[in-house]
Amino acid sequence: MSGARTARPAPTSPLLWVCAASAAAFLLHAAQVPVWITLTALGLVGWRLAAALGTVRLPGGIVRVALGLALIAAVLAHYHTLNGLAPGTAMLMLMAAIKVLETHSRRDQYVVLGGALFLLLAACLDGQQLARVPLYAAEALLCCSALAVVAYAPESGERTFPPPAGLRTREVITLAGRTLLYAIPLAIPLFLFFPRLTGHFWTVAPDDEAVTGLGDTLTPGGITRLTASYDIAFRARFEGRPPPPNELYWRGPVLHEFDGATWSAGQYSPGEAQLLECLSRPYHYRLYLEPTFRHWWLALDTVMGPPNAGVRYTDDYELIAPQPVSRSLSYDAASCAHTQSLARLSSTARLEDTELPRGRNLRSAAMALQLRRRAGSDIAFVQAVLAFLRSGGFTYSITPPPLGPDPVDDFLFDTRSGFCGHYASAFVDLMRAAGVPARVVTGYLGGQWNPYDATLVIRQSDAHAWAEVWLADRGWTRVDPTAVVAPERLYRGILDLLPDAVSAPARLVHAWPWLGAALERWDAANGWWNERFVSFNERTQLDLLRTLGIRSPDLRDAGWAFAAALLAWLGWVSWQVGGGNGAPRADRLGRAYTRLCRKLAQVGLPREPHQGPLAYAQVVIQHRPDLASRVRPLLEDYAALRFGPARDHADIKAFEHTVARLSIRRPSARRGID
Amino acid sequence: MAGPARLRERLRQRAAEWARRRQGPDRLPLVLGRRRLYILPTRAGLGFGALVLTMLVAGLNYTNSLALLFAFLLVGFALVAMHECHRNLLGVSLLEAAAAPLFAGSTGTLRLTLENASRVPRYRIEAAVSAELPRTLDLSAGGRGQIEVPIRANRRGLQRIERLRLSSSHPFGLFRVWTWIHAPIAVIVYPRATGSLPLPAGRGAQSGTWPRATAGADEWLGLRPFRDGDSPRQVAWKAYAREAPLLVKEYSSTGSPLRLLSLRDTRQPDIESRLAQLARWVVDAEAGGDLYGLELPGESIPAQRGPDHRHRCLSALALYGS
């Protein structure tokens, strides 16, 4: 009796797979949810496994309910809501972990695996980066393998005799992996042709996420946070030659209001853009923006119009989208390096852009007034301020000394060391102090050429701030005071100027060029992924159909293509999967043997199914002694090739050849076989 | 609660009848072809479908390409799984179905011999008769295997196994493929061996010897495993108490008596009880090593002994009146 009990396969094995699949699903979200949630979920799974081994006891129903309520309360306390992706994911993780704790039957195991696949969906919604795809694929494989193990294992309480042998790990993974591989040729055409929606089933709440990127405000030293990041901000592909480095100013938010320490967009509500005259040949390019979770879209300074009708084009020449950028997107834009405003500055705008906090930075204000009086014109005044910066002993530094309550005064007359934020801020302050309308523009400067996909890659470390002043005959004019202090900044990345300022990976890349090349390839792959895959939508789908030769494609054409792909694949799969079904197909040797037997059967000597080759040879010779010299060696050869030690391929070929040449005549009618 | 269950049972019955009309009668050995295989998603498969649908809708709503890709990948996965599940039963042959005779009211086994002539192994083939719990079997490539399905017998006679169900939800449990087999499989069900009357007195093997009152008073032969129908009086209870399996004491039957078991000697009111009494006597007489013959109206089996004789007598009782 005890023998029968031990012969049964250990009941933990499907449980182990189910636990592994859920633990892996929890780990997919480890970066998104607080650490304690991941640890709690993993701990509950560990508890279940320990209970299966008999080291601890499982909690009772009351404990489980209490645990569930406590965890819901904890998630609520952390997020203050259960709505949204991150709190939802956290809840799902904890509930799935509690479900693991009470997993006993096969049905429970299926439910847990469903939870793991749901967490995979949540992970897809969380991020679609190329680097994550292998992890997601591994999780899908793990879940499918676990399905196979659960389906194979006998249901608890089920009595099977003989007990199932069990599937080995390799068999399980092969089974699930092969099934998934067969599914890929369906998944790709389905992805390409499944009719896409133009709207939403339900509104998508914008997700507020902290990502590295330009903010809505600027403190003079604030940009240093970005230079430490090696993340890609966006990429751009130009039609024709890209602009020279000194024209690669990428325009982000424009800041109007200064409280003495921080610049912000202010109360100023931007109106519609006023007419611009393009003074140089415009650049046409496509920009691939990474998620910023902000409303503005970046563009090369100065963009000539909105990329599509939904995006506002403001009189700051900013592009403002109705939805925050929560996923990679791309758009076409045209920009002009040299422009001229045709309209006048409105009085409210002039008021806004000359305002300064009262009673602050008095020394610099006095100097500004003095310089303006001496200069005679606004342009000359700008030149004079730039000359002051150039010759005043200013240095470019990422770690300037801290500034006091009058930061501009401290910077200009005391520390004289700063970063682009300091220079732009001080410059605009001086302009405004003299009554010249000026504003701070934040964005990015430069970019790195990636030869593998012919794009310009702009990283967070390229973040920059500069100034714009209103000149009566030219309108808003870009002035970059940093370029005066550190002209190299225009031509070389921040890396070359301030090696200590930047992140470790950036320094590594700088030190080892081959690593840089590898990263460029990786960036190119990511770019392709984001451009072609992540931002695939109904528009790109119609483009694809157009490329395939359908003149004016619509949803119905996509549906037809979808159905055709599905049918073709179904045929292929039933052929593939059903292929191994018939009786075993003979190998080459077997085919030659069959042919020999057929030849003998034609002269009235059929082989009985129970006869082996040697027994058959005896029967043949018994009836036809004249064939002994030709047929016996062949049959003996076959027996040796088939059942003897492994032979050369040439031997099989020789056998085939001899069989093919063999011709057997029927015996004369009188000499029948008896 | 009972409503949906009854509805499901009725639907199942209708489907089975439809399949029977459609397939016609079967003869063994038979190869499971495409025309007789049916496949439907399981409950887990329906859940999986709902999950994939959620993924699809979420992917469309959030224009999330990766969620859509995984949704389509899982759609493909389920469709391939359906083919694999179907293939798991396709081409399997049922060579033989045989059941040893059993007594009414007991549980016997129907032994099925299955063969897999293909190059791919088959896993978790389940076989069931009516509502009994299924038994499962794996078949290696080109392999053959036996599976023992429990069957219950309630009434004596020739019990036909109207419908045999082979099914499988391998590999992922998302689909279940099944077939109904309506082959002429029959099992003889002996009457219940019950009744309290003592064995009728026999004549001695050699005429003149006075018969002994009870069987088994001869010289001790040894122990043999318990068989259905053995009298509890012959069980070696002492050995059983020492955790040995159920054993029966056997005695030689030198000079065994010759007993004529006749329906006339039974005194029960109804025929079934009388047949049961006869079956009891047959079992006891065989166990006692006696020579015994059976006399039924219209049928008479001369005295003999041995398992074949026992089967002959019990079969006659089983089929009496049919």
Side-chain angles (χ1 to χ4, degrees):
Chain A
M1 270 184 144
S2 61
R5 214 170 291 143
T6 48
R8 265 205 230 142
T12 49
S13 121
L15 182 70
L16 196 64
W17 279 88
V18 166
C19 285
S22 8
F26 299 155
L27 287 175
L28 285 184
H29 294 279
Q32 193 200 4
V33 299
V35 173
W36 65 265
I37 289 181
T38 314
L39 289 181
T40 309
L42 290 177
L44 292 175
V45 171
W47 190 351
R48 179 68 187 89
L49 282 177
L53 292 175
T55 47
V56 292
R57 287 181 49 177
L58 279 177
I62 295 170
V63 177
R64 282 200 307 269
V65 169
L67 194 62
L69 291 176
L71 289 175
I72 292 173
V75 170
L76 264 177
H78 186 272
Y79 288 102
H80 308 292
T81 174
L82 291 180
N83 250 333
L85 187 59
T89 305
M91 276 307 296
L92 190 56
M93 280 171 71
L94 293 172
M95 293 304 115
I98 289 181
K99 183 69 201 171
V100 170
L101 207 54
E102 55 176 33
T103 294
H104 300 289
S105 66
R106 181 184 289 171
R107 193 180 157 277
D108 294 335
Q109 290 166 347
Y110 277 129
V111 170
V112 170
L113 288 178
L117 283 171
F118 226 94
L119 282 170
L120 178 64
L121 167 64
C124 289
L125 296 181
D126 180 37
Q128 310 181 62
Q129 295 90 322
L130 181 57
R132 287 194 185 189
V133 172
L135 297 179
Y136 294 176
E139 169 66 4
L141 178 62
L142 189 55
C143 286
C144 292
S145 306
L147 273 180
V149 177
V150 170
Y152 185 90
E155 171 74 288
S156 57
E158 177 186 330
R159 286 182 25 223
T160 58
F161 186 83
L167 293 173
R168 273 168 296 167
T169 305
R170 221 190 54 203
E171 282 178 302
V172 169
I173 292 180
T174 312
L175 183 63
R178 193 190 55 204
T179 309
L180 281 171
L181 274 185
Y182 280 142
I184 288 175
L186 176 71
I188 291 169
L190 283 198
F191 176 79
L192 293 177
F193 299 124
F194 188 85
R196 292 302 204 282
L197 286 180
T198 41
H200 297 288
F201 293 119
W202 64 88
T203 48
V204 179
D207 228 325
D208 211 11
E209 294 235 351
V211 287
T212 335
L214 288 178
D216 294 327
T217 60
L218 173 79
T219 49
I223 277 189
T224 50
R225 186 174 50 85
L226 293 183
T227 57
S229 164
Y230 199 60
D231 292 347
I232 293 178
F234 58 93
R235 297 170 309 114
R237 181 176 291 145
F238 285 89
E239 283 175 22
R241 288 167 60 82
N246 62 350
E247 290 180 4
L248 285 175
Y249 281 86
W250 303 93
R251 193 180 184 89
V254 178
L255 309 178
H256 299 275
E257 202 170 286
F258 189 43
D259 67 0
T262 302
W263 288 90
S264 63
Q267 301 302 311
Y268 183 76
S269 62
E272 293 311 305
Q274 293 172 332
L275 273 181
L276 274 183
E277 192 185 355
C278 191
L279 299 180
S280 58
R281 217 166 55 83
Y283 295 111
H284 293 275
Y285 55 94
R286 190 169 181 83
L287 196 141
Y288 305 93
L289 188 59
E290 294 295 323
T292 59
F293 299 94
R294 309 277 180 181
H295 285 268
W296 18 262
W297 290 11
L298 285 148
L300 189 66
D301 203 22
T302 307
V303 65
M304 301 306 289
N308 66 53
V311 175
R312 271 188 66 209
Y313 179 47
T314 69
D315 61 354
D316 284 345
Y317 307 115
E318 284 181 276
L319 300 173
I320 308 280
Q323 298 288 329
V325 181
S326 55
R327 72 172 62 86
S328 310
L329 57 87
S330 65
Y331 44 89
D332 293 311
S335 295
C336 236
H338 302 284
T339 55
Q340 188 172 13
S341 287
L342 301 177
R344 293 161 44 107
L345 188 65
S346 72
S347 52
T348 47
R350 176 176 291 274
L351 210 63
E352 168 100 19
D353 285 334
T354 50
E355 198 173 276
L356 281 175
R358 278 159 213 264
R360 309 276 295 270
N361 302 313
L362 297 176
R363 252 182 99 188
S364 50
M367 185 187 76
L369 285 171
Q370 190 192 346
L371 283 176
R372 173 68 186 86
R373 258 200 308 278
R374 222 183 287 156
S377 74
D378 286 351
I379 294 183
F381 172 55
V382 169
Q383 299 293 353
V385 171
L386 290 179
F388 166 72
L389 291 174
R390 189 181 296 123
S391 56
F394 285 89
T395 56
Y396 186 60
S397 164
I398 195 99
T399 49
L403 302 172
D406 290 331
V408 178
D409 281 2
D410 289 352
F411 170 65
L412 285 179
F413 305 112
D414 191 12
T415 65
R416 300 197 176 207
S417 165
F419 200 54
C420 57
H422 296 88
Y423 289 100
S425 168
F427 183 84
V428 172
D429 185 87
L430 288 174
M431 289 295 123
R432 287 190 177 183
V436 179
R439 59 197 188 186
V440 171
V441 184
T442 59
Y444 297 85
L445 172 61
Q448 193 183 6
W449 180 250
N450 185 335
Y452 297 105
D453 60 349
T455 56
L456 208 57
V457 178
I458 292 87
R459 296 178 185 281
Q460 296 297 355
S461 55
D462 294 319
H464 193 55
W466 61 91
E468 275 183 343
V469 290
W470 176 269
L471 299 177
D473 48 344
R474 290 170 58 181
W476 286 110
T477 309
R478 179 175 68 225
V479 180
D480 186 357
T482 317
V484 172
V485 179
E488 322 85 87
R489 173 69 184 89
L490 284 185
Y491 299 97
R492 291 153 66 188
I494 194 154
L495 225 56
D496 300 292
L497 295 179
L498 299 165
D500 293 342
V502 296
S503 62
R507 258 178 282 161
L508 279 181
V509 167
H510 196 55
W512 295 324
W514 59 265
L515 184 61
L519 280 179
E520 274 170 357
R521 277 171 197 270
W522 174 241
D523 287 344
N526 269 297
W528 181 91
W529 175 257
N530 287 342
E531 175 188 350
R532 291 301 165 96
F533 178 78
V534 174
S535 45
F536 189 88
N537 57 18
E538 77 283 351
R539 218 184 47 216
T540 31
Q541 183 177 54
L542 294 183
D543 287 346
L544 174 74
L545 288 171
R546 231 168 265 130
T547 324
L548 290 178
I550 299 168
R551 228 168 267 155
S552 52
D554 56 14
L555 274 185
R556 222 179 319 149
D557 293 314
W560 281 117
F562 165 80
L566 182 65
L567 280 179
W569 176 85
L570 273 177
W572 177 75
V573 158
S574 49
W575 177 68
Q576 278 291 320
V577 174
N581 180 50
R585 250 173 59 199
D587 52 343
R588 283 182 71 174
L589 182 62
R591 278 202 300 275
Y593 180 57
T594 312
R595 193 170 175 190
L596 173 62
C597 296
R598 206 167 47 229
K599 282 186 173 184
L600 286 166
Q602 276 168 0
V603 296
L605 293 167
R607 183 175 73 88
E608 297 299 326
H610 61 83
Q611 283 170 342
L614 298 180
Y616 185 32
Q618 270 184 0
V619 173
V620 167
I621 289 152
Q622 197 185 334
H623 290 292
R624 290 281 303 270
D626 58 307
L627 292 179
S629 61
R630 287 192 290 159
V631 173
R632 201 213 307 255
L634 269 177
L635 288 169
E636 279 171 0
D637 272 1
Y638 172 74
L641 285 169
R642 172 61 79 206
F643 305 111
R647 291 297 187 86
D648 224 272
H649 191 65
D651 293 332
I652 295 177
K653 268 189 115 168
F655 177 74
E656 267 180 343
H657 193 64
T658 324
V659 169
R661 278 197 325 185
L662 179 74
S663 81
I664 308 169
R665 253 172 298 153
R666 272 187 168 281
S668 56
R670 225 164 280 172
R671 274 193 59 202
I673 299 160
D674 37 22
Chain B
M1 274 321 259
R6 207 183 309 148
L7 185 69
R8 203 176 315 142
E9 194 44 51
R10 258 181 58 191
L11 275 177
R12 187 170 306 192
Q13 205 63 34
R14 291 283 284 277
E17 279 162 19
W18 169 79
R20 185 186 191 119
R21 278 199 307 276
R22 182 176 164 274
Q23 290 174 194
D26 297 317
R27 203 175 306 151
L28 299 187
L30 82 96
V31 182
L32 303 183
R34 280 172 207 283
R35 267 184 57 78
R36 59 179 312 132
L37 290 186
Y38 310 95
I39 189 163
L40 276 180
T42 58
R43 222 178 263 197
L46 292 178
F48 189 84
L51 184 104
V52 170
L53 196 66
T54 313
M55 265 184 147
L56 187 70
V57 170
L60 285 175
N61 192 63
Y62 294 97
T63 39
N64 187 299
S65 292
L66 201 54
L68 278 175
L69 186 68
F70 272 108
F72 293 134
L73 189 71
L74 293 181
V75 166
F77 174 81
L79 289 176
V80 179
M82 183 178 78
H83 278 87
E84 282 173 339
C85 183
H86 188 258
R87 202 273 319 272
N88 196 39
L89 217 50
L90 183 66
V92 168
S93 352
L94 174 60
L95 299 182
E96 208 181 17
L102 67 158
F103 288 91
S106 71
T107 303
T109 52
L110 175 67
R111 189 185 297 262
L112 305 177
T113 310
L114 296 175
E115 190 186 47
N116 170 23
S118 72
R119 287 175 297 165
V120 287
R122 314 301 180 112
Y123 297 100
R124 298 287 283 167
I125 297 175
E126 301 175 14
V129 172
S130 64
E132 298 288 337
L133 272 177
R135 292 288 190 263
T136 61
L137 178 73
D138 289 357
L139 287 172
S140 59
R144 196 178 273 201
Q146 285 194 329
I147 186 167
E148 287 181 347
V149 188
I151 44 173
R152 267 199 84 72
N154 293 321
R155 295 179 42 219
R156 73 174 177 96
L158 198 63
Q159 180 169 330
R160 280 175 216 289
I161 295 182
E162 297 286 341
R163 190 164 57 237
L164 176 67
R165 185 171 187 263
L166 292 181
S167 65
S168 176
S169 62
H170 183 82
F172 301 105
L174 302 180
F175 289 89
R176 172 163 292 272
V177 62
W178 78 94
T179 186
W180 282 303
I181 294 166
H182 310 106
I185 308 167
V187 50
I188 291 184
V189 181
Y190 302 150
R192 241 173 252 267
T194 52
S196 49
L197 294 178
L199 262 175
R203 288 170 287 127
Q206 285 82 34
S207 55
T209 340
W210 194 248
R212 281 153 303 211
T214 53
D218 299 315
E219 70 190 65
W220 166 261
L221 261 189
L223 295 167
R224 65 161 174 81
F226 180 85
R227 281 199 293 258
D228 275 341
D230 281 333
S231 160
R233 273 179 291 167
Q234 287 162 271
V235 168
W237 292 112
K238 275 184 189 164
Y240 187 68
R242 291 195 301 268
E243 295 191 22
L246 213 50
L247 294 172
V248 171
K249 290 180 272 190
E250 232 181 1
Y251 299 89
S252 80
S253 52
T254 48
S256 37
L258 195 145
R259 302 181 194 276
L260 195 63
L261 311 176
S262 170
L263 195 63
R264 279 166 304 169
D265 296 339
T266 55
R267 268 168 260 141
Q268 281 83 350
D270 63 311
I271 181 71
E272 289 304 323
S273 310
R274 293 167 77 180
L275 289 171
Q277 177 64 69
L278 276 173
R280 170 87 266 156
W281 284 343
V282 168
V283 168
D284 287 350
E286 173 69 24
D290 303 343
L291 285 165
Y292 56 94
L294 184 68
E295 227 172 40
L296 292 171
E299 189 169 8
S300 164
I301 299 172
Q304 196 30 281
R305 67 169 161 241
D308 288 345
H309 180 63
R310 175 181 185 263
H311 172 62
R312 198 175 156 207
C313 295
L314 289 173
S315 301
L317 293 175
L319 303 177
Y320 177 75
S322 64

